């Protein structure tokens, strides 16, 4: 059955206006983008470039860089030409950092308009953004709400966060600036989700979603998956950042895995595997662990099933590009495009599967290139 007729799998994305972060579209009908942030000192130019390149390889669409001082914003003019992803400059309080970042090549400024001073200063930052084709992100955070809102509501709450966002929106709109997205983050999953749900109804600007300060690799992944999963499943979110106390590359991997699990975006190999039990006919856990490492370089979307026995293996294999099911006496079954293709002995399981996936990726890319060439020819 086609996925198009499976109503239970359909996610209706919230309608948002389209903006651009450099050449990357955000909002509208564009794919949901995945972001991360460097944790090097921005003034260490080579280290920052190296980390951005690692994030590019992992698939990051946008990378944020902190600019807490003049030296950091000046470093952008050396960093931006050396990378391919658009760079977001993280600006918190000093309006001059925003102006400098725009001048030095940033594609987007992450600011709170209310934090950078007078209307005249906001106007200067907006002018710099317009002059250098720079978008902005209004970044509301439950941990840094304005004092008057905390006094009004008594504590950080969805209403206070949305009011803060709407106040900041008005500041930019009053300066005839609309090329921005908004975030409304909290470390509490309930608070973050409720704030984003309310903000999604209150405006049509693109939303940058995230559970801030989510924690370490495992706990932060779980917390982010719960919060962002609820939002994405309900159609909310145009760009995603998973905040982990871990290597930023892990944030990108988790972000893509979230989107893949909901069918919202596909990149690389989606491995479907069983947890293993006494019925397994080969070491499933070790096989999958090594297979994931060996297939990390594949960016072509495809699914591979690795199932330890014939209870669920054949059924899963019918729905994947390449399937592998454990069989008795060390002889296993390989499926291609959902159909039994050949048998395989215990020796060299991973090497054989990697070879099959690489060949399948080449085939898919060749077919895609041929289709694109044919479409371009027809359009001439």
């Amino acid at each position: 059955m086609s996925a198009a007729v499976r109503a239970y799998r359909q996610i209706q994305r919230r309608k948002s206006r389209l903006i651009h972060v450099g050449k990357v579209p955000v909002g509208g009908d564009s794919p949901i983008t995945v972001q991360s942030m460097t944790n090097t000192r921005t003034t260490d130019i080579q280290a920052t470039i190296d980390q951005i390149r690692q994030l590019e390889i992992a698939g990051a669409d946008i990378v944020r860089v902190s600019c807490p001082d003049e030296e950091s914003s000046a470093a952008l003019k050396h960093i931006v030409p050396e990378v391919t992803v658009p760079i977001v400059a993280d600006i918190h309080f000093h309006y001059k950092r925003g102006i400098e970042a725009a001048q030095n090549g940033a594609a987007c400024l992450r600011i709170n308009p209310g934090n950078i001073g007078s209307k005249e200063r906001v106007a200067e930052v907006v002018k710099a953004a317009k002059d250098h084709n720079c978008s902005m992100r209004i970044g509301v955070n439950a941990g840094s709400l304005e004092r008057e809102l905390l006094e009004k509501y008594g504590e950080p709450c969805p209403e206070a966060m949305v009011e803060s966002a709407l106040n900041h929106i008005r500041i930019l709109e009053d300066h005839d600036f609309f090329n921005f997205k908004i975030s409304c983050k909290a470390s509490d999953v309930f608070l973050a989700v409720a704030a984003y749900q309310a903000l999604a109804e209150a405006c049509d600007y693109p939303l940058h979603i995230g559970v801030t300060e989510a924690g370490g690799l495992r706990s932060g992944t779980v917390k982010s998956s719960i919060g962002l999963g609820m939002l994405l499943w309900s159609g909310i979110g145009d760009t995603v950042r998973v905040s982990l106390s871990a290597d930023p590359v892990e944030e990108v991997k988790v972000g893509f895995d979230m989107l893949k699990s909901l069918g919202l975006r596909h990149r690389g190999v989606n491995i479907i595997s069983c947890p293993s039990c006494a019925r397994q006919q080969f070491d499933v856990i070790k096989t999958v662990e090594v297979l994931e490492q060996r297939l990390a370089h594949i960016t072509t979307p495809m699914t591979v099933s690795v199932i330890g026995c014939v209870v669920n293996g054949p059924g899963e294999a019918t729905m994947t590009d390449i399937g592998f099911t454990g069989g008795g006496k060390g002889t296993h079954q390989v499926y291609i495009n959902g159909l039994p293709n050949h048998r395989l002995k215990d020796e060299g399981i991973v090497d054989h599967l990697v070879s099959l996936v690489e060949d399948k990726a080449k085939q898919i890319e060749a077919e895609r290139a041929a289709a694109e060439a044919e479409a371009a020819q027809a359009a001439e």
Side-chain angles (χ1 to χ4, degrees):
M1 182 186 293
S2 168
V5 297
R6 292 186 178 104
Y8 62 89
R9 295 188 64 177
Q10 302 306 301
I11 292 177
Q12 298 297 322
R13 285 181 61 188
R14 162 184 171 267
K15 299 291 185 184
S16 63
R17 64 177 72 191
L18 177 67
I19 71 162
H20 282 81
V21 178
K23 294 181 179 179
V24 176
V26 175
D29 296 323
S30 57
I32 298 171
T33 54
V34 176
Q35 302 192 26
S36 185
M37 184 175 183
T38 57
N39 56 20
T40 56
R41 289 191 179 275
T42 307
T43 49
D44 188 340
I45 293 170
Q46 192 57 53
T48 303
I49 290 171
D50 290 344
Q51 190 169 75
I52 294 171
R53 287 175 176 169
Q54 291 170 6
L55 292 167
E56 289 174 340
I57 292 170
D61 300 295
I62 299 167
V63 174
R64 181 157 47 114
V65 172
S66 184
C67 292
D69 48 43
E70 186 175 356
E71 292 76 17
S72 296
S73 55
L76 290 180
K77 67 178 143 186
H78 304 289
I79 294 169
V80 171
E82 298 299 320
V83 299
T84 58
V85 292
I87 299 300
V88 177
D90 199 62
I91 311 300
H92 282 282
F93 296 103
H94 207 300
Y95 79 104
K96 285 187 177 180
R97 302 293 84 80
I99 296 170
E100 294 159 0
Q103 293 170 340
N104 290 329
C108 180
L109 308 177
R110 188 272 193 195
I111 63 167
N112 276 352
N115 283 352
I116 58 178
S118 65
K119 290 183 178 180
E120 290 74 21
R121 289 182 172 180
V122 173
E124 288 188 58
V125 176
V126 169
K127 183 178 185 304
K130 287 181 177 180
D131 289 346
H132 298 278
N133 196 27
C134 219
S135 59
M136 290 190 189
R137 169 161 74 95
I138 294 171
V140 176
N141 195 301
S144 57
L145 284 171
E146 297 91 324
R147 182 183 303 170
E148 59 269 24
L149 290 176
L150 290 175
E151 290 175 353
K152 177 179 178 179
Y153 291 98
E155 63 177 3
C157 61
E159 294 79 7
M161 294 174 69
V162 172
E163 184 169 334
S164 175
L166 294 178
N167 288 341
H168 290 134
I169 286 171
R170 279 190 288 272
I171 292 173
L172 292 185
E173 289 180 338
D174 286 346
H175 287 85
D176 196 32
F177 191 84
F178 307 93
N179 188 25
F180 61 88
K181 49 194 168 77
I182 315 166
S183 65
C184 211
K185 297 185 180 181
S187 58
D188 178 89
V189 172
F190 294 96
L191 178 54
V193 170
Y196 275 114
Q197 288 172 334
L199 185 59
E201 294 183 1
C203 72
D204 69 346
Y205 288 101
L207 297 185
H208 167 123
I209 62 172
V211 175
T212 193
E213 297 147 2
L217 180 56
R218 184 176 67 177
S219 60
T221 294
V222 172
K223 184 186 286 188
S224 296
S225 297
I226 292 170
L228 302 188
M230 285 193 286
L231 291 170
L232 292 167
W233 180 80
S234 62
I236 296 171
D238 301 288
T239 184
V240 174
R241 194 261 171 117
V242 180
S243 298
L244 301 175
S245 300
D247 185 333
V249 168
E250 296 297 332
E251 298 186 348
V252 177
K253 292 179 180 178
V254 173
F256 272 106
D257 283 342
M258 283 185 194
L259 297 177
K260 279 197 290 188
S261 69
L262 290 169
L264 289 167
R265 191 165 172 196
H266 301 281
R267 183 182 190 275
V269 181
N270 181 24
I271 297 180
I272 297 165
S273 60
C274 67
S276 81
C277 68
R279 295 191 302 269
Q280 67 178 351
Q281 300 297 320
F282 62 96
D283 189 338
V284 174
I285 292 174
K286 185 62 177 176
T287 299
V288 171
E289 179 185 349
V290 178
L291 197 59
E292 285 184 331
Q293 295 170 0
R294 295 277 303 276
L295 295 178
H297 66 290
I298 300 292
T299 58
T300 305
M302 71 174 75
T303 53
V304 175
S305 60
V306 180
I307 310 296
C309 74
V310 297
V311 172
N312 291 323
E316 291 289 355
T318 62
M319 298 181 283
T320 57
D321 295 296
I322 296 172
F324 182 69
T325 297
K329 299 180 181 179
T331 301
H332 316 295
Q333 181 68 52
V334 176
Y335 298 77
I336 305 293
N337 297 329
L339 299 174
N341 189 275
H342 60 275
R343 294 188 179 274
L344 180 66
K345 292 288 189 180
D346 275 333
E347 296 80 12
I349 292 174
V350 171
D351 287 341
H352 187 76
L353 291 176
V354 168
S355 178
L356 290 175
V357 170
E358 289 177 338
D359 289 345
K360 183 68 175 177
K362 290 177 184 176
Q363 177 191 340
I364 292 172
E365 293 301 333
E367 291 172 351
R368 178 184 299 164
E372 290 176 354
E374 185 178 344
Q377 199 171 33
E380 290 178 356

